[in-house]
């Protein structure tokens, strides 16, 4: 039976590679939303590799001159889809807190979202897909489309990290399994050595690989794209894209210069004020800061984005005799660290110490009495070291007995005391490893995406480049086995959904 599948394809190209395999090997009707700028649009308008039944270009429906938003339509939309649109808006790093070049007004935000709502409604009404294939949602409009599909009963196949190095999973929600049966493991299937698995798939190594592939390697290509920004014209699509509002050449140049000075000053502050050695005589609770802006905080943990508030409430809740160790995320240096005022507020808490980002997270974890995280991987790692943990959101490892999930800060004092009294063994970690093995698969997303970015020039402030057909063909050929593997994983997931519905 022919399956109707909608692909959301943006500049990272993964879903075009999957669609090509589906076109050639799987009984399906393919539809596509393309979220790309003018130069890349030329390729997708002319390509003959994938025969889409119909395709739409998102930026064709977004206009530079916004009228006042239609509040009646937006109210109707919220009721129809049971989606809180302001919640969606606050998940976007450009609308809130992190945009140094443009402050969005109330009407601008709602007018942008209104156009996206109307566009996605049109696409879903015309294509009537059974499945949406999308990369991990990282902007408000990705998340908007995902939630609209869920509301309409369309199965979402979202590719995301399984929170281990080069380990991916496909699911409706980030870090969660779609079915209860996915969590079941026979006793005979349990892994003997979960720490060996953790060492092989250490997520911190993937962070280092990300920094290297995105920033340290390909030095010339990265700075040539920045050079291109200052010496090339802007297309209409570029101007209309809300991400680029306020991004004029003079303002970007000034911001880049100030960013270098800010980063240097903050780095000096960190080196001067953060603890560089662990005091092993102190029993402590460990809280690693989440990197921001980042999807795992803005979308997955949307009501806990104020990390100062989280830390303060933890500090109020720990028993006398314990210290709260807060460690800066080492990858935060990409964003030039945080404001020194942020660190100073933490330093003012009398039972809290800031730990230098150079100290190994494993070293801290092994010596800690308890781990608390908003939504980080450290909670799952804690179980491998027989350490209790507390988290605030739903994730794959929710059912680990070493973990307590809380919903309000009022629950913290009791949760902390109960966790500190827990006896943890690694049997639950063994089971969790096998749940991951059952539902995840190996795929080097970081490496392939980085190669595409630099090979075609999708890096720097513009993210718009030509896609010569012969280069695209060569890229798909170079990673043919990877795209086949990725496509087969999506097909497997589709067939599982179909079988589940038939039962």
């Amino acid at each position: 039976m022919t399956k109707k599948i909608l692909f959301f394809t943006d500049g990272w190209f993964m879903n075009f590679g999957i669609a090509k395999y589906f076109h050639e090997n799987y009984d399906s009707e393919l539809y596509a939303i393309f979220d790309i700028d003018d130069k890349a649009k030329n390729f997708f308008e002319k390509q003959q590799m994938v025969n889409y039944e119909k395709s739409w270009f998102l930026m064709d429906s977004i206009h530079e001159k916004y009228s006042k938003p239609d509040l009646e339509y937006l109210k109707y939309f919220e009721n129809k889809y049971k989606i809180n649109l302001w919640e969606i808006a606050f998940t976007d790093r450009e609308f809130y807190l992190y945009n140094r070049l443009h402050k969005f007004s109330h009407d601008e935000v709602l007018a942008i979202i209104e156009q996206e709502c109307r566009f996605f409604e049109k696409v879903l009404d015309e294509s009537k897909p059974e499945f949406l294939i999308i990369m991990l949602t990282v902007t408000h409009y990705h998340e908007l489309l995902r939630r609209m599909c869920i509301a309409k009963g369309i199965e979402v196949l979202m590719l995301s990290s399984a929170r281990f190095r080069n380990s991916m999973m496909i699911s409706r929600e980030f870090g969660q399994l779609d079915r209860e049966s996915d969590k079941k493991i026979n006793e005979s299937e349990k892994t003997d050595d979960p720490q060996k698995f953790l060492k092989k798939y250490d997520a911190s190594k993937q962070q280092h690989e990300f920094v290297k592939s995105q920033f340290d390697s390909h030095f010339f290509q990265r700075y040539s794209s920045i050079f291109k920004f200052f010496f090339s014209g802007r297309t209409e699509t570029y101007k209309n894209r809300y991400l680029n509002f306020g991004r004029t050449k003079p303002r970007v140049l000034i911001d880049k210069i100030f960013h270098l000075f800010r980063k240097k000053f903050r780095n000096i502050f960190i080196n001067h004020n953060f603890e560089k050695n662990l005091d092993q005589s102190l029993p402590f609770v460990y809280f690693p800061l989440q990197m921001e802006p980042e999807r795992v905080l803005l979308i997955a943990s949307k009501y806990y984005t104020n990390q100062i508030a989280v830390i303060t409430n933890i500090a109020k809740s720990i028993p006398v005799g314990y210290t709260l160790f807060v460690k800066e995320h080492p990858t935060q240096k990409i964003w030039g660290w945080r404001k020194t005022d942020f660190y100073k507020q933490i330093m003012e808490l009398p039972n809290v110490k800031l730990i230098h980002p150079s100290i190994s997270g494993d070293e801290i974890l092994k010596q800690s009495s308890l781990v608390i995280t908003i939504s980080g991987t450290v909670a799952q790692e804690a179980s491998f070291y027989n350490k209790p943990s507390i988290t605030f959101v739903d994730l794959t490892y929710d059912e680990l007995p070493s973990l307590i999930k809380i919903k309000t800060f009022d629950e913290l004092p009791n949760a902390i005391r109960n966790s500190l009294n827990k006896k943890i063994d690694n049997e639950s970690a063994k089971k969790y490893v096998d749940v991951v093995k059952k539902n995840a698969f190996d795929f080097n997303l970081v490496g392939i995406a980085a190669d595409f970015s630099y090979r075609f020039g999708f890096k720097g402030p513009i993210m718009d480049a030509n896609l010569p057909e012969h280069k695209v063909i060569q890229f798909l050929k170079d990673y043919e086995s990877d795209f086949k593997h990725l496509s087969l994983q999506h097909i497997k997931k589709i067939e599982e959904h179909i079988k589940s519905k038939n039962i």
Side-chain angles (χ1 to χ4, degrees), residues 84-102:
N84 185 329
L85 291 175
W86 275 117
E87 179 187 296
I88 291 285
F90 275 92
T91 64
D92 199 295
R93 64 191 67 182
E94 301 299 330
F95 287 156
Y96 175 61
L97 282 182
Y98 308 104
N99 192 331
R100 298 191 298 264
L101 299 176
H102 183 78

Side-chain angles (χ1 to χ4, degrees), residues 279-295:
D279 185 347
Q280 299 189 21
S281 67
L282 291 174
F284 65 89
V285 174
Y286 174 39
F287 178 85
L289 284 164
Q290 306 269 178
M291 188 175 77
E292 57 182 313
E294 190 56 69
R295 194 258 186 214

